[in-house]
Amino acid sequence: MRRAVLTMVCAAVLTVLWGCGGAAGANMQESGEESAAAKEQSGEESVAAAGQGGEDSAAATEQSGEESAAVMGQSGEDSTAAAERDSLAGSTFSILGDSISTFQGYNPVGYYAFFPDYGEVKKVEDTWWQQVADEMALTLYVNGSSAGATVAGDSTGTEDPQCGCNEMRTNDLSGPEGACPDRIVIYLGTNDFLNAVPLGENDGTELVEEGEVKTFSDAYTLMLDKLQANYPLAEIYCCTLLPVGDYGTDTPYVEFISGTQFTSADYGEVIIRIAANRGLSVIDLNDCGVTIENMHEMTSDGVHPTAAGMECIAAAVKEAFAE
């Protein structure tokens, strides 16, 4: 713009020198007017550009602030979760379970182990409970799990590890010198389902007589009665069941349906209802990441988890513990 103005002024001066004073004056006036108009237009464009720049800058600042707030919010959530996990370090837990939670040498004497002789989990570090203990710095008091165990059965037994509601199983979860664990995880019911034990109608509030308990809901209720009496300070977590594939078919699996036309989710619903009426926490393993569609990767036979399946269980338990 400056170069254009200088060029016009020089042209006017040369015109004066050539004797065209009148024309030069007109040209200079016209040039001055054009220059003023150009400057005015330039000023307007500058103001407009500055305004647009301010708006863009404000928008960018606002967006940056929102993104920063979102990052800080996520970071805050992660920090809170980490703090909650750290606060559990050093606390204790015990397990009342079946084959899915076993490992040779880590269950009480007289109990039956499935892993590592069977299935695909060959290292104790790959079990769901060892992952929980290691990653949350917890102490496992007793892994009271036995392969093939049901919840239902003779509740008065003192030497049979195959009935979850009996005296032997419910008395075997204490720590050193009878110490009460801070938490008890119950992961039982898969064998009741596979053996078509009737569901029953107990919602967790009805009294159950000792003896041969024949329905799942009665047995689960009686088992909780004993656990809450024996370990009054323990926080009890009731796990629903993983989806179960028909292990008599080739992969891909189809959902296993019991002889009484129920699925593992039906038994899980009973567990949820009873736990709710007892004010107990539920760990929903039916929705932990193991599905009928990925069962050939998550289990070795439609029932027993692989290392990948164990990771899904561990993640659900850790999330529940951290709440």
Side-chain angles (χ1 to χ4, degrees), residues 28-42:
M28 288 180 66
Q29 182 178 359
E30 181 180 351
S31 173
E33 292 173 354
E34 291 177 353
S35 177
K39 288 181 179 180
E40 181 178 356
Q41 180 177 359
S42 174

Side-chain angles (χ1 to χ4, degrees), residues 39-314:
K39 288 181 179 180
E40 181 178 356
Q41 180 177 359
S42 174
E44 292 173 352
E45 290 175 350
S46 297
V47 170
Q52 181 63 42
E55 292 174 359
D56 292 345
S57 177
T61 301
E62 182 178 357
Q63 181 177 0
S64 175
E66 291 174 354
E67 291 175 351
S68 298
V71 171
M72 290 178 67
Q74 180 64 44
S75 175
E77 292 174 1
D78 293 343
S79 299
T80 300
E84 289 174 344
R85 287 194 297 271
D86 291 342
S87 68
L88 298 177
S91 61
T92 61
F93 72 108
S94 290
I95 304 165
L96 183 55
D98 53 29
S99 60
I100 293 174
S101 302
T102 62
F103 201 90
Q104 188 68 45
Y106 288 82
N107 308 113
V109 175
Y111 286 45
Y112 302 102
F114 181 84
F115 299 111
D117 294 341
Y118 306 96
E120 295 183 12
V121 175
K122 302 301 181 183
K123 299 186 298 181
V124 69
E125 291 81 9
D126 288 336
T127 62
W128 70 263
W129 44 271
Q130 192 63 55
Q131 291 182 54
V132 171
D134 290 343
E135 294 177 25
M136 303 190 81
L138 307 181
T139 298
L140 177 63
Y141 270 170
V142 179
N143 184 348
S145 301
S146 186
T150 58
V151 182
D154 183 2
S155 69
T156 64
T158 57
E159 297 181 355
D160 179 17
Q162 301 307 89
C163 173
C165 71
N166 71 16
E167 298 298 316
M168 178 182 184
R169 295 299 300 276
T170 55
N171 288 334
D172 265 357
L173 305 179
S174 298
E177 300 180 357
C180 178
D182 295 314
R183 292 170 181 78
I184 294 174
V185 178
I186 305 170
Y187 186 7
L188 277 171
T190 301
N191 291 306
D192 297 84
F193 163 56
L194 293 175
N195 288 284
V197 172
L199 288 176
E201 298 180 355
N202 199 329
D203 63 358
T205 63
E206 299 177 14
L207 294 176
V208 180
E209 293 184 4
E210 295 279 7
E212 191 68 30
V213 185
K214 297 182 179 180
T215 70
F216 179 69
S217 58
D218 276 348
Y220 208 94
T221 297
L222 180 58
M223 176 179 64
L224 290 179
D225 287 340
K226 294 180 178 182
L227 291 177
Q228 290 184 297
N230 291 345
Y231 314 99
L233 300 180
E235 186 171 359
I236 297 175
Y237 295 80
C238 302
C239 295
T240 63
L241 310 183
L242 289 176
V244 174
D246 191 337
Y247 48 86
T249 63
D250 294 330
T251 56
Y253 287 97
V254 295
E255 188 170 33
F256 181 81
I257 299 176
S258 73
T260 48
Q261 300 302 300
F262 291 113
T263 67
S264 62
D266 293 319
Y267 283 73
E269 287 299 319
V270 172
I271 292 172
I272 292 172
R273 183 167 62 250
I274 292 174
N277 287 332
R278 306 294 288 257
L280 303 178
S281 300
V282 172
I283 301 174
D284 190 3
L285 298 183
N286 186 61
D287 189 32
C288 73
V290 178
T291 66
I292 296 297
E293 289 73 23
N294 65 19
M295 190 156 286
H296 62 289
E297 298 175 357
M298 296 296 182
T299 74
S300 59
D301 54 10
V303 177
H304 297 94
T306 59
M310 290 289 189
E311 288 183 7
C312 292
I313 299 173

